[in-house]
Amino acid sequence: MIFYFTGTGNSLWVANELSKELREEMKNIIDIKDKLFVEDKVIGIVCPTYMGDLPWIVKDRLLRLKINPDTYTFAILTSNVGKSGKSNDSADKIFCTIGSGLCSFFDISMPGNCIISSKKQNSRRLSAAPLTVKNIISDIRNRIENYKSKGVKVEDNFVEDSFFYKNKSLLRLSPIKNFRINKDCDGCGLCQKICPTNNITIKEKRAIHGNKCAACYACVHWCPKNATRVKIPILYSRFQYHHPDAKIDKGRISLERI
């Protein structure tokens, strides 16, 4: 089973490549609502890294799982620079808590949802990604273990202490979750549908953001009017991005070619 979390479609694309080649089912981690025992022999997570760690929503959902102790586990993190900080240790803590330590960890450089990069840089990253994914698939197929589990379970407030957790961002990071909805917003509701934390409501044909933001920026990158902007000047005018194979289908991020 391959669980994924995506805002721009990058991680969905990676998860889909793995699913096809490894013949493993994939599931949007947002769809995990209750405790879930997963008997699969291979279980992985594919998601972006935020501030060098797993998104808090990914931590929250993964901790609802229970798996067998002999499960082969892996984590694949997409990021702008291809370096994912302490995400490997966070993933290991989660897997140790739910039944089995982390076996393998992989980084992939792909266009980021926040950090500014040029379209040329993004093109290079997208061009290099298929080969990187192919090599990762080979390692998973051969059950390569490139990470030595530390055997440590999650501590108290593991989720709550994450960057961007609801309204508890560090003061210097809070502006990154401060959105401005400009006059082009027509209240179409797409942002409300694709928000993974149900953080957006539509009132009087305007999008209103609450305090449960996961900082995935799906609302920024998928708005058909480009009406949702981050107030920070350097990010306010950045161009929208989503994976070239990604689309919106019935209010959910999916792929053009599956």
Side-chain angles (χ1 to χ4, degrees), residues 155-198:
E155 56 277 338
D156 292 341
N157 299 321
F158 175 74
V159 176
E160 291 83 352
D161 287 342
S162 303
F163 285 114
F164 306 124
Y165 178 74
K166 297 188 177 179
N167 63 342
K168 295 182 179 180
S169 299
L170 296 177
L171 182 61
R172 64 186 176 87
L173 297 177
S174 295
I176 294 179
K177 293 180 10 177
N178 195 355
F179 300 98
R180 176 183 176 185
I181 311 302
N182 69 27
K183 60 181 178 57
D184 295 323
C185 176
D186 60 5
C188 74
L190 179 60
C191 58
Q192 181 182 37
K193 292 177 182 177
I194 63 176
C195 178
T197 60
N198 298 317

Side-chain angles (χ1 to χ4, degrees), residues 4-230:
Y4 71 89
F5 172 71
T6 195
T8 63
N10 285 341
S11 296
L12 171 59
W13 175 82
V14 174
N16 185 63
E17 293 299 299
L18 267 68
S19 178
K20 289 188 300 184
E21 295 299 321
L22 298 173
R23 297 183 179 180
E24 294 283 347
E25 182 183 355
M26 67 178 191
K27 183 180 182 67
N28 191 334
I29 201 167
I30 298 303
D31 293 334
I32 303 174
K33 305 299 183 185
D34 303 305
K35 299 290 185 181
L36 177 65
F37 177 60
V38 185
E39 296 185 72
D40 299 52
K41 296 296 184 182
V42 177
I43 295 176
I45 175 67
V46 184
C47 69
T49 179
Y50 296 160
M51 300 300 295
D53 199 8
L54 300 177
W56 69 261
I57 190 70
V58 170
K59 294 178 180 181
D60 176 80
R61 294 300 195 271
L62 281 180
L63 286 170
R64 301 181 187 191
L65 303 180
K66 192 69 178 176
I67 63 178
N68 288 313
D70 60 347
T71 305
Y72 176 81
T73 61
F74 65 87
I76 302 174
L77 272 290
T78 62
S79 63
N80 197 295
V81 295
K83 296 184 183 297
S84 298
K86 65 177 184 179
S87 296
N88 52 358
D89 292 336
S90 290
D92 182 40
K93 288 180 180 179
I94 292 171
F95 281 121
C96 285
T97 302
I98 67 176
S100 176
L102 181 65
C103 297
S104 288
F105 181 86
F106 308 94
D107 281 314
I108 301 180
S109 175
M110 299 189 79
N113 72 338
C114 179
I115 295 176
I116 301 286
S117 55
S118 69
K119 292 184 179 181
K120 186 175 181 179
Q121 288 173 317
N122 288 349
S123 180
R124 285 201 300 266
R125 290 168 181 148
L126 289 171
S127 296
L131 178 57
T132 303
V133 171
K134 180 179 179 181
N135 291 333
I136 292 172
I137 289 171
S138 177
D139 283 354
I140 294 173
R141 183 177 282 129
N142 292 312
R143 302 295 188 268
I144 299 298
E145 297 190 14
N146 64 20
Y147 181 90
K148 184 173 178 57
S149 175
K150 296 177 175 61
V152 177
K153 296 183 178 181
V154 303
E155 56 277 338
D156 292 341
N157 299 321
F158 175 74
V159 176
E160 291 83 352
D161 287 342
S162 303
F163 285 114
F164 306 124
Y165 178 74
K166 297 188 177 179
N167 63 342
K168 295 182 179 180
S169 299
L170 296 177
L171 182 61
R172 64 186 176 87
L173 297 177
S174 295
I176 294 179
K177 293 180 10 177
N178 195 355
F179 300 98
R180 176 183 176 185
I181 311 302
N182 69 27
K183 60 181 178 57
D184 295 323
C185 176
D186 60 5
C188 74
L190 179 60
C191 58
Q192 181 182 37
K193 292 177 182 177
I194 63 176
C195 178
T197 60
N198 298 317
N199 188 51
I200 302 173
T201 56
I202 305 298
K203 294 182 180 179
E204 298 180 357
K205 296 185 178 181
R206 300 280 290 181
I208 307 296
H209 289 244
N211 64 4
K212 298 185 295 181
C213 178
C216 74
Y217 284 12
C219 57
V220 173
H221 293 289
W222 288 100
C223 176
K225 299 292 187 179
N226 198 13
T228 301
R229 307 290 185 91
V230 184

